Amino acid sequence: ATMAFLAARSLALAPLRQIPAVSCLTQHRAMSARRKRQKPNRDAKLTIVMKQDYEGLGVKGQLVDVKPGYGRNYLIPQGFAAYGTPENIKAFYDENAQVAAVRTKSDVVLEKVARHLNTKNIVAMRNPSKPFSIDANSICDMIEQQLWMKVAPERLEMTPITQIGPHNVIVHVSESTTSALQVDVLPAN
């Protein structure tokens, strides 16, 4: 009994050990939270050949790069695509489809730009007591300032504007797509 008493007494009289404010486990967690582990194949792509058209991805015969899981688990089992092996590329790849896919994507974008320009108008302030003329270069500058778009003066079909009021300017977005942009010339006071 005396031995137990002496052991308990020595523990009670011994100076308290310094306990760290943050335990080792908490420090380890904090460090691992700061440096996030990078997955080694995070940006990996799988080349596939489209077997049929898939909206937003590609057309039949086009080579497309997708995330491996999407291609392996959805596109290939559903029959939309095949792996980009030399045999499959030879069987399904079509250069014309590749060119057509790029062309259709750009046509869609150009049609969106044309629809956007149809809904917009730009404003020019001019003093009606003084003669003025607004030419294609001035319209291009106003489009850049007000709509944040760059348009070449050659793409505008117009005559110089010399009167106050609304005017329409034809913008040739592409060879086949045009848009009507309204230019409001208002009197400046």
Side-chain angles (χ1 to χ4, degrees), residues 10-130:
S10 68
L11 283 176
L13 297 177
L16 294 174
R17 278 187 355 199
Q18 285 284 336
I19 300 174
V22 179
S23 70
C24 293
L25 183 61
T26 309
Q27 284 178 348
H28 177 69
R29 284 185 186 150
M31 284 176 49
S32 65
R34 269 185 257 133
R35 81 186 124 103
K36 301 226 182 224
R37 183 173 172 263
Q38 292 286 331
K39 294 184 180 177
N41 292 329
R42 196 171 100 173
D43 299 325
K45 297 290 182 183
L46 174 69
T47 302
I48 58 173
V49 182
M50 299 301 295
K51 286 175 144 180
Q52 51 184 289
D53 294 356
Y54 193 84
E55 188 174 340
L57 185 60
V59 296
K60 182 178 180 179
Q62 182 182 3
L63 283 175
V64 181
D65 288 334
V66 295
K67 289 193 173 186
Y70 184 53
R72 214 177 29 247
N73 299 327
Y74 180 71
L75 294 173
I76 293 171
Q78 295 291 328
F80 291 115
Y83 285 105
T85 62
E87 298 85 27
N88 287 340
I89 291 174
K90 194 173 188 181
F92 298 111
Y93 179 67
D94 183 13
E95 272 188 44
N96 296 333
Q98 191 87 2
V99 172
V102 171
R103 195 171 289 141
T104 56
K105 282 182 183 178
S106 63
D107 287 345
V108 168
V109 170
L110 292 174
E111 287 174 12
K112 284 183 181 180
V113 169
R115 281 196 305 262
H116 179 72
L117 285 174
N118 281 333
T119 61
K120 299 295 179 185
N121 63 341
I122 57 175
V123 178
M125 305 294 280
R126 296 293 186 262
N127 189 348
S129 62
K130 297 179 182 176

Side-chain angles (χ1 to χ4, degrees), residues 140 143-144 147-152 155:
C140 290
I143 291 172
E144 188 173 351
L147 302 180
W148 296 26
M149 298 174 72
K150 284 193 177 248
V151 177
R155 293 194 174 268

Side-chain angles (χ1 to χ4, degrees), residues 113-119 169-173 177-181:
V113 169
R115 281 196 305 262
H116 179 72
L117 285 174
N118 281 333
T119 61
V169 174
I170 304 296
V171 180
H172 293 278
V173 180
T177 310
T178 60
S179 177
L181 177 68

